Amino acid sequence: MSPAYQTTPRTTPSRYRERAHYDSYTVHRILDEALFCHLGYVRDGGPVVLPTMHVRCGETLYIHGSTGSGPMLGARPAGLPVCVTATVVDGLVLARSAMHHSLNYRSVVVMGTARVVDEDAEKLCALHALLDHIRPGRAADCRTPNTRELAATAVLALGLVEVSAKVRQGGPVDDPEDRLLPHWAGVIPMSLAAGTPQPADDLDPATPLPQYLTGERRP
Ligand SMILES: Cc1cc2nc3c(=O)[nH]c(=O)nc-3n(C[C@H](O)[C@H](O)[C@H](O)COP(=O)(O)OP(=O)(O)OC[C@H]3O[C@@H](n4cnc5c(N)ncnc54)[C@H](O)[C@@H]3O)c2cc1C
């Protein structure tokens, strides 16, 4: 049994509580499989939610962006209160009734105060991990950021402390009186898959496709 995150009033769903999970195994798997997340924060008194890449290193979630971007500016000097969500969609759930259509999904919500990573070593480590999150092996196969690029890039770190996962799986749950209706019902599985690598127009044709880009795709 993996360790569990402590539940708080903020991480307890009002509905379908039985679908909530707080064990680190479930949470880590979702965060590692999701290609990107949504970062929610308050700017000028109103909510903003931005899609962005992320990576989990142990019990820390890292997010990067331009030093001039909203969340990075907002995080100085005291950190930025955020809510980050990451989602993997596993299927379309088609019910006989309109009401009971749904998605099969695995999602994570993380709340907390994100801090700006100031130390170069941690920043570089997070940036490498972000690349490997996109495609394992990539970080070691590209030019490392130079001083100027590093200075223009900000990294936010968010501890996995106040965390919840929610998982919906299985078929549609129609009301008993609808079960004989003549509409098809069931699940259409969904997954995110990478296609065949397409070389850049200006790629030297002598550059071989690296091993780590062949074979199985994400996750
Ligand atoms: C891809 C996707 C599509 C969805 N579509 C719908 C939809 O169309 N309509 C709908 O009603 N619901 C939908 N949901 C579920 C939705 O995310 C909420 O769980 C749901 O609205 C019930 O919220 P609540 O009132 O229980 O949550 P609240 O009581 O508002 O939430 C309290 C806390 O519970 C936790 N929590 C709630 N939901 C989640 C979650 N999904 N993942 C992780 N932690 C969670 C969080 O910590 C949150 O702060 C969808 C979920 C996903 C992943």
Side-chain angles (χ1 to χ4, degrees), residues 22 41 59 81 88 113-114 120 132 135 142 145 151 154 157 166 170 172 179 181 217:
Y22 300 95
Y41 68 104
E59 293 299 323
V88 179
T113 299
D120 275 355
D132 274 353
R135 190 70 201 186
C142 58
K166 200 170 172 188
R179 291 197 182 135
L181 290 176
R217 304 283 175 246

Coordinates of all heavy atoms in Angstrom, one line a residue, residues 22 41 59 81 88 113-114 120 132 135 142 145 151 154 157 166 170 172 179 181 217:
Y22 N -6.5 8.9 -2.6 CA -5.5 9.8 -2.0 C -4.2 9.1 -1.9 O -3.3 9.6 -1.2 CB -6.0 10.3 -0.7 CG -7.3 11.1 -0.8 CD1 -8.5 10.5 -0.6 CD2 -7.3 12.4 -1.1 CE1 -9.7 11.2 -0.8 CE2 -8.4 13.2 -1.3 CZ -9.7 12.5 -1.1 OH -10.8 13.2 -1.3
Y41 N -4.9 30.1 -11.3 CA -4.5 31.0 -10.2 C -5.3 32.3 -10.4 O -6.1 32.4 -11.3 CB -2.9 31.3 -10.4 CG -2.6 32.1 -11.6 CD1 -2.2 33.4 -11.6 CD2 -2.5 31.4 -12.9 CE1 -1.9 34.1 -12.7 CE2 -2.2 32.1 -14.0 CZ -1.9 33.5 -13.9 OH -1.5 34.2 -15.1
E59 N 8.0 14.2 -4.8 CA 6.8 14.8 -4.3 C 6.7 16.3 -4.7 O 6.0 17.0 -4.0 CB 6.7 14.6 -2.8 CG 6.5 13.2 -2.3 CD 5.2 12.5 -2.8 OE1 4.2 13.2 -2.9 OE2 5.3 11.3 -3.2
P81 N -0.5 31.2 -4.9 CA -1.5 30.1 -4.6 C -2.1 29.6 -5.9 O -2.5 30.4 -6.8 CB -2.6 30.9 -3.8 CG -1.9 32.1 -3.3 CD -0.8 32.5 -4.4
V88 N -6.3 12.3 -17.5 CA -6.2 11.3 -18.6 C -7.6 10.9 -18.9 O -8.3 10.4 -18.0 CB -5.3 10.2 -18.1 CG1 -5.2 9.1 -19.2 CG2 -3.9 10.6 -17.7
T113 N 0.8 26.5 -2.6 CA 1.5 27.7 -3.0 C 2.7 27.4 -3.8 O 3.6 26.7 -3.2 CB 1.8 28.6 -1.8 OG1 0.6 29.0 -1.1 CG2 2.5 29.9 -2.2
A114 N 2.8 27.7 -5.0 CA 4.0 27.4 -5.9 C 5.1 28.4 -5.6 O 4.8 29.6 -5.4 CB 3.6 27.4 -7.3
D120 N 20.0 27.3 -9.7 CA 20.2 26.8 -11.0 C 20.2 25.3 -11.1 O 19.7 24.7 -12.1 CB 21.6 27.3 -11.6 CG 21.4 28.7 -12.2 OD1 20.2 29.2 -12.2 OD2 22.4 29.3 -12.6
D132 N 12.2 14.9 -20.5 CA 12.0 13.5 -20.4 C 10.6 13.1 -20.1 O 10.2 11.9 -20.4 CB 12.9 12.9 -19.3 CG 14.3 12.6 -19.9 OD1 14.5 12.7 -21.1 OD2 15.2 12.2 -19.2
R135 N 9.2 12.9 -23.6 CA 9.7 11.7 -24.3 C 11.0 11.2 -23.6 O 12.0 11.9 -23.6 CB 10.0 12.0 -25.7 CG 10.3 10.8 -26.6 CD 9.1 10.0 -26.8 NE 9.4 8.6 -27.1 CZ 8.5 7.7 -27.5 NH1 7.3 8.0 -27.5 NH2 8.9 6.5 -27.8
C142 N 19.7 16.7 -26.7 CA 19.5 18.0 -27.2 C 20.5 19.0 -26.6 O 21.1 18.6 -25.6 CB 18.1 18.5 -27.1 SG 17.5 18.6 -25.4
P145 N 20.3 24.2 -22.1 CA 20.0 25.7 -22.2 C 21.3 26.5 -21.8 O 22.0 26.0 -20.9 CB 18.9 25.9 -21.1 CG 18.4 24.6 -20.8 CD 19.4 23.5 -21.2
A151 N 18.2 32.1 -17.9 CA 17.7 33.3 -17.2 C 16.3 33.7 -17.7 O 15.6 34.3 -16.9 CB 18.7 34.5 -17.4
A154 N 11.5 30.6 -16.3 CA 11.2 30.4 -14.9 C 10.6 29.1 -14.6 O 9.9 28.5 -15.5 CB 10.3 31.5 -14.4
A157 N 7.7 25.4 -8.5 CA 7.7 24.1 -7.9 C 6.5 24.1 -6.9 O 6.2 25.1 -6.2 CB 9.0 23.9 -7.1
K166 N -9.3 11.5 -8.8 CA -10.6 11.0 -8.9 C -10.6 10.1 -10.2 O -10.0 10.4 -11.2 CB -11.6 12.1 -9.1 CG -13.0 11.7 -8.8 CD -13.9 12.9 -8.7 CE -15.4 12.5 -8.6 NZ -16.3 13.7 -8.8
G170 N -15.6 2.0 -16.0 CA -16.7 1.2 -16.2 C -17.8 1.7 -17.2 O -17.5 2.8 -17.8
P172 N -21.8 2.7 -18.7 CA -22.8 3.7 -18.4 C -23.7 3.1 -17.3 O -23.9 1.9 -17.1 CB -23.6 3.8 -19.7 CG -23.4 2.6 -20.5 CD -22.0 2.1 -20.1
R179 N -33.2 0.8 -19.5 CA -32.3 -0.2 -20.0 C -32.8 -0.9 -21.2 O -32.0 -1.5 -21.9 CB -31.9 -1.2 -18.9 CG -31.1 -0.4 -17.9 CD -30.3 -1.3 -16.9 NE -29.6 -0.4 -16.0 CZ -29.6 -0.5 -14.7 NH1 -30.1 -1.6 -14.1 NH2 -28.9 0.3 -13.9
L181 N -34.4 0.6 -23.7 CA -34.5 1.6 -24.8 C -33.6 1.1 -26.0 O -32.5 0.5 -25.7 CB -34.1 3.0 -24.4 CG -35.1 3.6 -23.4 CD1 -34.6 5.0 -22.9 CD2 -36.5 3.8 -24.1
R217 N 4.9 4.1 -27.8 CA 4.7 5.5 -27.6 C 4.2 5.7 -26.1 O 4.0 4.8 -25.4 CB 3.6 6.0 -28.5 CG 3.9 5.8 -30.0 CD 5.0 6.8 -30.4 NE 5.4 6.5 -31.8 CZ 6.6 6.2 -32.1 NH1 7.5 6.0 -31.1 NH2 7.0 5.9 -33.3

